[in-house]
Amino acid sequence: MPFFAPLMLFGLAAAAAPILLHLFRKRSARRIVWGAWQFLAESMRRKRRKILIEEILLLVVRTAILALAAIAFARPFLPEMGFFGGGEKDVVIVLDRSGSMNLHRKDGTTAFAAALEEVRDLVDNAPRGVSFGLVLGGRDAEILTVTPFSSKREVLKLLENVKAGEETMDVPRALEAAGEVLSGGSHIDKEVIVFGDGQAYGWRPDDANAWRRVEKTFATFNRRPPVVWRTLERPEGVRNAAIASVVPSREIFGTDRPVTFTVGVVNSGSVAFSPGELALEVDGKRIASQPVGQVLPGLSRTIPFSCKFDKPGAHTVVTVLAGSDDIASDNAVTNAVTVIDELKVLLVNGRPGLTGFERPTAYVEAALRPERKDDKVPFLVKPVGVRPTELESTNVFAGVAVTILCDVPFLSEKASDNLAHWTAEGGGLLAVPGERSASGFYTNWTWRAKKVMPAAWTNFTKGVSIPGKPPLFDNAPVLGRMLFDEKAIDTNAVRIVSRMSDGEPAVVSGPFHRGHVGMLAMPLDLEWTGIPARPGFVPFVHGLVY
């Protein structure tokens, strides 16, 4: 029997303590003859056997207590038998049908055919009470069973029509789909079994959002389902390079400036080789190309491409590997992008009575559109200033991409509901505090029983805790700020983007339905901070909007 803490079994030695104490304390009796002894001797002979049995039983109980305590601390467990353990269970089988699974091995078979045969045997020999679900892994996971089937015949019938594909399996998406199927099962015990060839490409380790969705799906179960990987043998000498990622330098594409696409090329084969040239095409026209060079197995190389879109609208961006390898299906990646010529930002002024650069929105507005009046160069961002009361009309949100609240004490019920509904539909909201901002309003602001803000502000704090040493952000002093209740932040959904020099959060962001909400700790004016005077202020504000 296996144990979780086998070192605790050394405690079994303590079971010998009662026996040793009994032996050490045993003494030779001193015999004294006296007149009434003959009557006691006869009584002792009759009771001696009974007393001896009682003493032996007491010794055994004491020894057993110590031995069982040592075994309990060692935490024994019964291992499951095979995949299923003989009990009722929901099992989802994920079958990798990427192009590498269809390569022929030395014996003429493919890993996909071997995996399919093993899956059939697994289903056919499963004990009674095991239900099966099927997911085919590819670029988009294909769910064959919405819920696990208890009928083996139905599952085997579905396997008859399964064919190998060409696209690489997206591992996070396949696991997320497996969790969705498991959620429809009726058994408490659940398990995921993945059949694949173990190639590293497709895991997307840099995509935190994809793995966060997997974690969220599996966290819904009372007992977390284990994931079992069955890795099949791959052919030797595979030459394959794949485009692993295409990452743009920003999420919003405009006609005002170039965007950089960083393309990652990975050698997912088993031999080193040069995959040739990597090309970038926009709307069918080749923009640029660069040689990749030799890449070792399991390693990758990143190549940047700069592209400027002249016209707004939908565009197709294709990255292509020109060289030939054993799997051609992962040599090209197509992305559809939408280019805009204007990004409307709503600046809500919490102190409409002020003018010029005394306004809380003044420096943000200047940073968002920092061109001269006689400058004819087109600029993407179009800031529009409004009063808080104007949010009571939904017309104010027409064409708006981002709304920034600058030192807004609070909003009326109608205005807050309109703004929350607009954000939930996909808008971006940024809260910039000020001296008059009411932290209680933002902390308790809810819409359809869900908090709008990703974190809770405390009251506005003036001055510094250490005289002469104010906290810094971007090397600029901060003399007034809101502190966040960091213990109450749900780090699974909310991200602390940056911190100040004293470790306090400076920028916090999180999702709100289909939209996104950000919060700053400090105002963006020269009254409470020197941030607007820093060279990095303009790109910092643009980063918040984009």
Side-chain angles (χ1 to χ4, degrees):
M1 177 183 294
F3 296 86
F4 283 114
L7 292 179
M8 298 301 297
L9 292 176
F10 285 107
L12 289 173
I19 300 174
L20 295 176
L21 289 174
H22 173 74
L23 294 176
F24 288 142
R25 295 180 63 184
K26 189 175 181 181
R27 296 285 187 270
S28 298
R30 182 181 178 186
R31 188 170 183 177
I32 302 175
V33 180
W34 52 293
W37 171 250
Q38 57 180 337
F39 303 107
L40 292 176
E42 182 64 24
S43 176
M44 289 292 295
R45 279 194 294 269
R46 290 196 300 266
K47 295 182 179 181
R48 184 173 184 178
R49 180 178 179 84
K50 180 181 178 181
I51 295 174
L52 182 61
I53 293 175
E54 290 178 351
E55 289 182 347
I56 292 175
L57 290 176
L58 183 60
L59 184 63
V60 170
V61 169
R62 289 171 176 171
T63 305
I65 289 174
L66 294 175
L68 291 175
I71 294 174
F73 281 116
R75 300 171 61 193
F77 67 94
L78 292 173
E80 292 187 353
M81 302 301 295
F83 281 114
F84 311 114
E88 293 185 341
K89 180 179 288 189
D90 292 323
V91 177
V92 173
I93 295 175
V94 178
L95 186 58
D96 182 2
R97 60 170 183 172
S98 56
S100 61
M101 290 282 289
N102 209 31
L103 296 176
H104 287 82
R105 301 179 290 191
K106 287 183 177 181
D107 58 0
T109 62
T110 65
F112 183 81
L116 200 57
E117 187 62 30
E118 286 192 22
V119 172
R120 289 195 186 99
D121 292 341
L122 190 68
V123 174
D124 198 32
N125 297 320
R128 185 185 298 273
V130 178
S131 299
F132 287 96
L134 294 176
V135 173
L136 300 182
R139 181 169 295 175
D140 294 315
E142 182 180 352
I143 297 176
L144 297 185
T145 60
V146 179
T147 60
F149 287 179
S150 59
S151 173
K152 294 182 181 180
R153 181 180 301 176
E154 293 294 329
V155 177
L156 293 173
K157 187 176 181 180
L158 289 172
L159 290 172
E160 292 177 359
N161 300 320
V162 173
K163 305 294 182 184
E166 295 183 352
E167 297 177 344
T168 301
M169 181 173 72
D170 187 327
V171 177
R173 181 66 191 97
L175 292 178
E176 185 181 359
E180 293 173 2
V181 176
L182 280 179
S183 64
S186 58
H187 298 136
I188 297 178
D189 290 335
K190 301 178 186 295
E191 187 174 24
V192 177
I193 305 175
V194 183
F195 287 82
D197 59 2
Q199 66 168 321
Y201 178 56
W203 280 81
R204 295 164 58 190
D206 298 329
D207 193 340
N209 290 329
W211 286 104
R212 194 175 291 116
R213 288 193 297 269
V214 175
E215 176 64 27
K216 185 177 180 180
T217 301
F218 277 70
T220 59
F221 301 104
N222 294 329
R223 188 179 301 172
R224 190 181 183 89
V227 179
V228 180
W229 293 87
R230 170 67 176 100
T231 304
L232 294 101
E233 181 185 358
R234 300 179 62 188
E236 297 179 358
V238 177
R239 297 173 68 256
N240 185 60
I243 298 178
S245 60
V246 181
V247 181
S249 56
R250 62 180 188 269
E251 297 181 2
I252 297 177
F253 302 91
T255 56
D256 61 326
R257 70 186 77 177
V259 60
T260 299
F261 293 94
T262 303
V263 184
V265 179
V266 61
N267 184 348
S268 59
S270 55
V271 295
F273 78 108
S274 176
E277 284 193 341
L278 178 67
L280 179 72
E281 300 177 358
V282 177
D283 298 331
K285 181 180 179 181
R286 176 166 292 195
I287 302 299
S289 62
Q290 296 186 44
V292 178
Q294 190 178 59
V295 185
L296 297 176
L299 300 183
S300 60
R301 183 164 296 176
T302 57
I303 299 175
F305 289 99
S306 180
C307 174
K308 187 177 184 301
F309 297 94
D310 297 325
K311 297 180 180 180
H315 296 272
T316 303
V317 179
V318 181
T319 48
V320 184
L321 279 172
S324 60
D325 55 22
D326 294 332
I327 305 174
S329 59
D330 51 14
N331 290 352
V333 173
T334 302
N335 291 287
V337 301
T338 301
V339 180
I340 59 177
D341 57 357
E342 182 181 272
L343 182 69
K344 189 176 179 181
V345 178
L346 211 61
L347 299 179
V348 185
N349 183 3
R351 306 180 72 176
L354 300 180
T355 59
F357 277 92
E358 293 182 351
R359 295 174 296 129
T361 58
Y363 290 97
V364 177
E365 183 178 358
L368 290 176
R369 203 171 181 90
E371 86 273 22
R372 299 186 302 270
K373 293 183 178 180
D374 58 345
D375 196 346
K376 297 182 180 180
V377 177
F379 207 79
L380 181 67
V381 181
K382 181 183 179 181
V384 178
V386 297
R387 296 169 177 261
T389 54
E390 295 182 57
L391 300 182
E392 295 181 0
S393 172
T394 57
N395 296 330
V396 75
F397 297 106
V400 174
V402 179
T403 298
I404 303 178
L405 303 176
C406 295
D407 196 11
V408 176
F410 58 87
L411 296 173
S412 66
E413 183 177 354
K414 188 173 183 180
S416 60
D417 283 348
N418 287 343
L419 181 54
H421 183 268
W422 171 82
T423 306
E425 292 295 320
L429 173 61
L430 177 65
V432 180
E435 185 180 4
R436 298 173 67 246
S437 299
S439 59
F441 164 75
Y442 291 92
T443 301
N444 300 317
W445 184 9
T446 58
W447 185 77
R448 294 185 180 179
K450 183 176 181 179
K451 288 187 178 296
V452 177
M453 293 289 112
W457 273 336
T458 64
N459 293 325
F460 192 80
T461 303
K462 305 176 185 178
V464 297
S465 56
I466 302 177
K469 292 185 178 181
L472 303 178
F473 183 79
D474 190 24
N475 291 323
V478 177
L479 303 179
R481 60 177 173 174
M482 291 281 195
L483 295 177
F484 288 98
D485 185 2
E486 191 170 352
K487 294 181 179 179
I489 295 178
D490 180 9
T491 55
N492 292 324
V494 178
R495 188 166 65 100
I496 299 177
V497 180
S498 58
R499 295 180 181 270
M500 297 189 186
S501 60
D502 60 355
E504 291 291 336
V507 183
V508 175
S509 69
F512 181 70
H513 295 281
R514 290 190 292 168
H516 208 83
V517 180
M519 301 177 72
L520 299 188
M522 61 286 181
L524 295 180
D525 56 37
L526 289 177
E527 181 180 0
W528 298 106
T529 174
I531 298 174
R534 298 293 302 169
F537 179 65
V538 171
F540 170 68
V541 174
H542 279 257
L544 294 174
V545 171
Y546 292 153

